[in-house]
Amino acid sequence: AAEEASRSSPRFRREPKGRVSRQDKYSVLLPTYNERENLPFIVWLLVKSFSESGFNYEIIIIDDGSPDGTRDVAEQLEKIYGSDRILLRPREKKLGLGTAYIHGMKHATGNYIIIMDADLSHHPKFIPEFIRKQKEGNFDIVSGTRYKGNGGVYGWDLKRKIISRVANFITQILLRPGASDLTGSFRLYRKEVLQKLIGKCISKGYVFQMEMIVRARQLNYTIGEVPISFVDRVYGESKLGGNEIVSFLKGLLTLFATT
Amino acid sequence: MTKLAQWLWALALLGSTWAALTMGALGLELPSSCREVLWPLPAYLLVSAGCYALGTVGYRVATFHDCEDAARELQSQIQEARADLTRRGLRF
């Protein structure tokens, strides 16, 4: 009889603390700019991942006035999945990542925030692992890492791999940040932690993500890591030029000298 | 203390220890075999640090996972999503 009872009980009850975890809500922030082609798929994958794992969630799309009609697709998705799951919080023009997070968080009802890229390089299937990791160590931040365990990348040539490894090596030596992937942007934060950190970070681009982790260390927040596979942009161009490298080095040295 | 300051402190400490020992400022009479090793020590350390860096980076580049499976899985899920979303009335 006991066997039958366990078989007939719904999935989420199998977890002994199911009740507690169901109070947690995860707000996914998706800043977009010209992601018309990728947005339907990332949203579909997010919905799939969350419905399979049973965690409570919402997806906040922050579109910075994309000229390609990203907003139109987002509105269609909102109709399909409902405005309690998909929240559109567009802005007039491109205003940078940090302020996009601030803007999105104002409307977030979850107690945890997940940030990720909308270009399909970050797969939502890892989110349940992030959540499990967070609960396991009661971490303030869980960061996806391409540099550990089964983590990795797809679509990078040798040159790109070398640049990435060298940059990571130098960063680890100079900053000793206590996390292996500093420039990645697939992370889970406690909401209040992200709010506090964003207020302290001033850099842009790659360096912004790096500064978030460095400041987190300064403030004694705990960081957990989950290996992720990073599949470089399926649609659209991935960019890594000389300018990115120079601004990365500048940012790195600034953090080195000031933190 | 910033990371830069930590580095400068450590370098100054090591550098002055080395200088003091090689120049005999402490009045210690080191055996000549010791002095022979001590004198080029910074160069040795620099070279081995460089070798370590090259070796580590090289190893990590060589063992960087290529996530072929993840890319294939994503492609097939995109097909699935496209079919499902079209059925739900999304205009791509």
Side-chain angles (χ1 to χ4, degrees):
Chain A
E3 209 177 277
E4 202 166 294
S6 74
R7 227 189 298 151
S8 61
S9 71
R11 241 194 116 162
F12 52 76
R13 283 217 207 120
R14 219 182 286 158
E15 205 181 2
K17 281 181 192 165
R19 281 195 133 186
V20 177
S21 70
R22 269 193 297 149
Q23 282 169 358
D24 288 330
K25 185 170 180 182
Y26 298 87
S27 302
V28 180
L29 300 189
L30 279 185
T32 59
Y33 188 76
N34 287 348
E35 299 289 1
R36 185 192 170 91
E37 290 189 80
N38 291 314
L39 190 62
F41 303 131
I42 190 71
V43 168
W44 188 86
L45 288 168
L46 277 166
V47 171
K48 178 181 153 82
S49 170
F50 275 109
S51 5
E52 282 171 4
S53 61
F55 295 109
N56 193 10
Y57 73 103
E58 66 187 359
I59 301 166
I60 302 176
I61 301 171
I62 306 129
D63 184 56
D64 277 4
S66 308
D68 75 337
T70 304
R71 195 164 161 188
D72 165 59
V73 169
E75 279 163 7
Q76 292 188 54
L77 289 164
E78 184 191 25
K79 282 205 194 84
I80 290 173
Y81 290 111
S83 51
D84 53 332
R85 289 300 190 200
I86 315 274
L87 285 71
L88 306 187
R89 297 293 178 263
R91 301 189 296 175
E92 285 301 306
K93 55 179 171 88
K94 219 172 174 185
L95 290 167
L97 209 51
T99 56
Y101 292 146
I102 293 172
H103 181 75
M105 254 192 303
K106 266 189 244 154
H107 307 281
T109 59
N111 51 339
Y112 290 93
I113 306 283
I114 292 163
I115 61 167
M116 65 190 298
D117 293 347
D119 63 2
L120 296 175
S121 51
H122 296 144
H123 198 296
K125 69 182 172 190
F126 294 109
I127 290 176
E129 289 177 44
F130 280 47
I131 295 173
R132 246 174 273 134
K133 186 79 192 182
Q134 191 282 323
K135 290 186 185 302
E136 183 189 302
N138 197 23
F139 293 110
D140 296 310
I141 302 167
V142 176
S143 173
T145 175
R146 296 162 286 183
Y147 302 113
K148 257 191 185 170
N150 288 322
V153 292
Y154 175 81
W156 281 13
D157 58 10
L158 188 63
K159 184 182 151 212
R160 182 82 194 257
K161 284 182 182 172
I162 293 174
I163 293 173
S164 168
R165 283 299 199 187
V166 169
N168 187 258
F169 182 80
I170 298 174
T171 311
Q172 294 293 337
I173 297 275
L174 292 186
L175 301 180
R176 277 169 287 135
S180 58
D181 194 341
L182 294 185
T183 49
S185 48
F186 192 2
R187 291 181 188 152
L188 180 150
Y189 291 88
R190 279 185 210 282
K191 189 180 184 185
E192 66 275 14
V193 169
L194 183 57
Q195 274 165 334
K196 183 122 187 243
L197 281 176
I198 278 189
K200 294 194 174 289
C201 290
I202 41 167
S203 350
K204 304 254 179 289
Y206 284 112
V207 185
F208 175 74
Q209 304 295 352
M210 189 155 88
E211 189 176 2
M212 296 274 273
I213 291 289
V214 172
R215 303 275 178 211
R217 265 296 128 131
Q218 277 187 317
L219 296 170
N220 288 321
Y221 290 131
T222 52
I223 304 169
E225 291 195 294
V226 171
I228 58 159
S229 53
F230 177 92
V231 178
D232 213 350
R233 293 182 70 94
V234 180
Y235 298 107
E237 274 294 298
S238 166
K239 51 245 165 221
L240 179 68
N243 272 344
E244 268 77 29
I245 297 175
V246 170
S247 60
F248 173 82
L249 286 176
K250 269 192 205 158
L252 175 61
L253 292 177
T254 309
L255 287 176
F256 180 59
T258 57
T259 64
Chain B
M1 186 158 51
T2 66
K3 285 286 185 289
L4 175 64
Q6 290 177 8
W7 274 83
L8 291 177
W9 271 110
L11 285 177
L13 198 67
L14 286 174
S16 52
T17 314
W18 174 80
L21 286 173
T22 43
M23 295 186 210
L26 299 175
L28 286 171
E29 274 303 311
L30 290 168
S32 64
S33 62
C34 252
R35 258 177 294 157
E36 269 165 39
V37 177
L38 200 60
W39 174 239
L41 194 63
Y44 288 151
L45 285 179
L46 210 61
V47 170
S48 38
C51 288
Y52 169 74
L54 278 179
T56 312
V57 169
Y59 176 76
R60 287 177 182 171
V61 169
T63 56
F64 214 146
H65 274 268
D66 273 311
C67 307
E68 309 271 346
D69 291 342
R72 263 195 302 275
E73 183 195 16
L74 180 63
Q75 281 309 325
S76 76
Q77 284 177 331
I78 285 177
Q79 300 308 320
E80 207 185 320
R82 190 185 292 279
D84 185 46
L85 287 167
T86 309
R87 214 186 52 235
R88 288 164 181 254
L90 184 86
R91 285 167 288 107
F92 282 92

